Amino acid sequence: MEKKSFTFDEIKMKLVNYCVYQDRCHAEVEQKMREFLLIEEAKEEILLYLMKENYLNEERFTRSYIRGKFYIKHWGKNKIKMHLKQKQISEKLINMCFDEIYEDDYMKTITRIYEDYFSKQTGLKEYQRKSKTIKYLMSRGFEYEKINDIFE
């Protein structure tokens, strides 16, 4: 199958639409650009254009990613941070954007998931149910200290 070739402006518009559809990070846009055979200068020009016109905004992406993964998928901060780092978002930016999650909501979510999961563990001793539930919450990215806070 032959690859269709696009003009520079067509590629630029494709990337604008890619960013408009959903917030993207630089790494995703660079990955998308690999589909088109572009020289370095063209890639840079498009990246600069996307940033200048605010189609590509790393902070906005990070904030919306954090909100979605916590409020919709109910991931903990460790899992969110790990996934953002894979997208080459800096730790400093990630930590700055964690204010998108209200501490109160965070603790309520941990408590709710804990109670749901714990109540489904049947035929086990109390301490086994508790330890399985803690492991489960940690696998969802919640911090051990925060999980422990719900027992105090």
Side-chain angles (χ1 to χ4, degrees):
M1 190 179 117
E2 197 185 323
K3 267 195 145 180
K4 182 174 180 343
S5 58
F6 297 100
T7 66
F8 176 76
D9 287 330
E10 285 171 331
I11 295 171
K12 191 158 94 173
M13 278 321 294
K14 282 185 174 300
L15 288 158
V16 163
N17 292 330
Y18 181 68
C19 293
V20 167
Y21 176 72
Q22 177 186 319
D23 274 327
R24 308 284 179 183
C25 64
H26 286 61
E28 289 170 330
V29 171
E30 284 169 24
Q31 178 64 47
K32 185 79 179 159
M33 275 197 236
R34 286 188 202 110
E35 293 174 16
F36 308 104
L37 304 165
L38 288 167
I39 56 170
E40 261 330 290
E41 288 83 356
K43 284 181 186 170
E44 275 175 35
E45 187 179 324
I46 291 175
L47 267 178
L48 286 170
Y49 172 79
L50 293 171
M51 289 187 301
K52 188 172 72 58
E53 298 299 325
N54 210 15
Y55 291 116
L56 184 58
N57 179 322
E58 204 96 299
E59 182 181 338
R60 186 181 61 215
F61 165 80
T62 304
R63 289 184 177 283
S64 106
Y65 189 90
I66 289 172
R67 280 192 310 273
K69 295 306 179 203
F70 174 69
Y71 287 102
I72 297 166
K73 294 241 189 221
H74 310 296
W75 287 5
K77 290 181 179 179
N78 289 341
K79 185 171 181 177
I80 294 172
K81 182 181 277 188
M82 188 180 69
H83 281 255
L84 283 168
K85 280 183 169 175
Q86 287 170 347
K87 293 180 178 294
Q88 291 146 27
I89 305 292
S90 74
E91 180 135 10
K92 188 175 178 221
L93 181 59
I94 297 169
N95 291 334
M96 185 184 94
C97 295
F98 267 136
D99 63 4
E100 288 295 326
I101 301 174
Y102 297 108
E103 191 58 28
D104 202 31
D105 292 343
Y106 199 67
M107 293 315 289
K108 279 183 189 149
T109 298
I110 294 176
T111 306
R112 185 175 43 79
I113 295 173
Y114 184 91
E115 288 165 355
D116 282 357
Y117 194 83
F118 186 83
S119 69
K120 289 178 184 138
Q121 306 306 310
T122 52
L124 296 168
K125 293 186 175 74
E126 180 81 12
Y127 77 90
Q128 291 172 311
R129 290 170 72 191
K130 185 175 173 177
S131 112
K132 261 189 100 164
T133 306
I134 289 171
K135 271 195 195 122
Y136 174 70
L137 277 160
M138 287 177 69
S139 77
R140 303 260 326 236
F142 293 98
E143 307 88 322
Y144 183 73
E145 305 71 44
K146 297 275 185 195
I147 299 167
N148 249 349
D149 287 348
I150 65 177
F151 303 117
E152 313 256 283

